[in-house]
């Protein structure tokens, strides 16, 4: 019966929300996640990996710092400087997907590229995202494309808040043992002016579903704090399913992954329209569930824990 309920729940989510390949939606229904993710024998991200940013459009230095500090916070070497519950502890759930024979994954902040002149225009297609991602290092790296609030991207707001995938390395890149290789990339859009009710919830009232007062964003930026939520979930999906044949459930072109298996859950007590019993900053009133580097606070999505078959939260 439990398996039947799980399958029915998954089908409902697929039909209602039209999930596209490796996308991150914040307003999906909470559903039974028992025994969701299966391993499809593909490669996972392992070893030393650089996380490079391509900022497309206008981003303030303070906005760039929010997302780069998040990446810095993932490293276990920064754990000693982080108050618990921490970003680093949250990320440790992804280690449970690694096998004993694989080299542990270590992420580090890499290069930052800014394209403030909108070299590909302000209306982008998927091929444009890949072209932008290709500007970063493609060996032992994940390239993250962040688009500004005035940039339109196919499917943004209507079916997704971001996505991750892989693409062949540019022709100019060196081959590995004489063979071409793929690199992993992520794209996330700033929804502040286009669809904050969908892609920046719970920092904005949702477009549909149960209505409640929006929460205060921990870094005082609804758009970028929303981007961190999406980025965090997609990065977990990239680590555990970088090339479409890792850990996921369902259709490979529309998979449930480590974070998307636990939609709308940020703390214990979560239910549709309620993010859960979060921590509150006594000074700013902001809601969060993780401490990061440089005194940052973040709101991060629950991750599916394969060792317990449950959605794991920090608080």
């Amino acid at each position: 019966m439990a398996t039947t309920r799980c399958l029915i729940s998954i089908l409902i989510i697929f039909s209602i929300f039209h999930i596209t390949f490796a996308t991150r939606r914040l307003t999906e229904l909470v559903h039974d996640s028992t025994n969701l993710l299966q391993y499809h024998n593909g490669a996972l991200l392992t070893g030393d990996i650089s996380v490079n940013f391509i900022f497309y459009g206008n981003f303030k230095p303070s906005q760039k710092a929010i997302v780069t500090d998040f990446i810095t916070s993932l490293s276990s070497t920064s754990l000693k400087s982080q108050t618990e519950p921490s970003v680093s502890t949250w990320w440790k759930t992804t280690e449970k997907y690694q096998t004993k024979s694989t080299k542990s994954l270590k992420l580090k902040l890499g290069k930052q590229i800014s394209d403030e002149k909108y070299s590909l225009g302000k209306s982008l297609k998927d091929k444009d995202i890949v072209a932008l991602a290709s500007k970063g290092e493609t060996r032992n790296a994940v390239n993250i494309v962040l688009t500004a609030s005035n940039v339109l991207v196919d499917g943004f707001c209507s079916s997704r808040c971001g996505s991750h995938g892989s693409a062949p390395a540019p022709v100019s890149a060196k081959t590995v043992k004489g063979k071409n290789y793929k690199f992993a990339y992520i794209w996330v859009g700033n929804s502040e002016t286009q669809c904050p009710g969908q892609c920046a919830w719970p920092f904005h009232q949702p477009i549909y579903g149960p209505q409640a007062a929006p929460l205060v964003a921990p870094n005082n930026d609804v758009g970028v704090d929303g981007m961190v939520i999406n980025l965090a979930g997609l990065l977990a999906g990239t680590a555990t399913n970088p090339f479409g044949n890792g850990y996921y459930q369902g259709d490979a072109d529309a998979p449930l992954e480590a974070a998307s298996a636990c939609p709308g859950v940020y703390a214990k007590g979560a239910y549709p329209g309620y993010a859960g019993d979060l921590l509150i900053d006594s000074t700013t009133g902001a809601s969060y569930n993780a401490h990061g580097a440089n005194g940052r606070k973040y709101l991060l999505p629950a991750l599916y824990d394969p060792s317990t078959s449950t959605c794991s939260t920090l608080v």
Side-chain angles (χ1 to χ4, degrees):
M1 289 296 293
T3 302
T4 301
R5 288 195 300 270
C6 178
L7 290 173
I8 291 174
S9 181
I10 292 170
L11 290 172
I12 290 172
I13 291 173
F14 281 178
S15 62
I16 293 177
F17 295 103
H18 310 288
I19 300 176
T20 57
F21 172 67
T23 60
R24 175 65 175 159
R25 292 291 301 270
L26 302 183
T27 50
E28 295 165 345
L29 294 174
V30 176
H31 61 276
D32 181 5
S33 60
T34 305
N35 300 322
L36 273 181
L37 306 187
Q38 300 175 0
Y39 181 47
H40 295 77
N41 301 315
L44 308 181
L45 285 190
T46 60
D48 296 330
I49 300 292
S50 295
V51 179
N52 305 307
F53 281 98
I54 297 90
F55 293 96
Y56 189 77
N58 185 30
F59 284 88
K60 299 176 183 177
S62 60
Q63 293 178 315
K64 293 180 180 180
I66 292 171
V67 292
T68 55
D69 281 349
F70 167 66
I71 297 301
T72 300
S73 302
L74 295 169
S75 172
S76 59
T77 58
S78 67
L79 184 58
K80 294 181 180 179
S81 63
Q82 295 182 36
T83 303
E84 292 295 338
S86 69
V87 174
S88 182
T89 297
W90 171 83
W91 184 248
K92 284 183 176 298
T93 298
T94 64
E95 296 177 2
K96 298 181 180 181
Y97 290 82
Q98 301 285 344
T99 65
K100 293 182 179 180
S101 60
T102 58
K103 188 177 181 180
S104 61
L105 173 62
K106 296 181 180 179
L107 298 179
K108 64 178 182 179
L109 182 62
K111 297 180 179 180
Q112 298 178 48
I113 300 171
S114 295
D115 188 339
E116 298 178 348
K117 295 184 178 180
Y118 305 90
S119 62
L120 300 181
K122 294 184 179 181
S123 182
L124 306 180
K125 298 184 181 299
D126 285 345
K127 65 179 181 63
D128 298 319
I129 297 299
V130 172
L132 290 170
S134 299
K135 292 185 177 183
E137 296 291 334
T138 54
R139 283 289 309 279
N140 301 319
V142 174
N143 294 334
I144 300 174
V145 178
L146 301 182
T147 50
S149 59
N150 62 342
V151 176
L152 303 177
V153 178
D154 278 0
F156 186 44
C157 296
S158 64
S159 64
R160 57 183 181 171
C161 302
S163 63
H164 82 83
S166 62
V171 176
S172 58
K174 294 182 179 179
T175 60
V176 178
K177 296 181 179 180
K179 296 182 180 180
N180 294 326
Y181 62 91
K182 290 184 176 181
F183 71 98
Y185 68 89
I186 296 172
W187 157 71
V188 180
N190 187 336
S191 67
E192 183 178 13
T193 60
Q194 297 185 52
C195 56
Q198 178 172 326
C199 295
W201 183 84
F203 303 130
H204 191 282
Q205 281 190 299
I207 296 175
Y208 47 81
Q211 298 293 306
L215 304 181
V216 178
N219 295 288
N220 198 35
D221 192 312
V222 169
V224 177
D225 275 303
M227 293 181 85
V228 170
I229 292 174
N230 291 294
L231 173 57
L234 290 166
L235 189 59
T238 300
T240 56
N241 187 30
F243 305 112
N245 54 6
Y247 284 93
Y248 68 88
Q249 172 73 320
D251 190 331
D253 292 330
L256 284 181
E257 299 178 321
S260 56
C262 304
V265 179
Y266 298 92
K268 292 179 176 62
Y271 54 83
Y274 179 64
D277 303 326
L278 298 168
L279 302 175
I280 305 295
D281 188 298
S282 59
T283 301
T284 65
S287 296
Y288 67 100
N289 60 8
H291 293 269
N294 299 320
R296 295 280 185 191
K297 295 180 175 69
Y298 295 103
L299 182 62
L300 305 178
L303 296 179
Y304 181 78
D305 187 332
S307 67
T308 61
S309 295
T310 60
C311 291
S312 176
T313 62
L314 286 172
V315 296

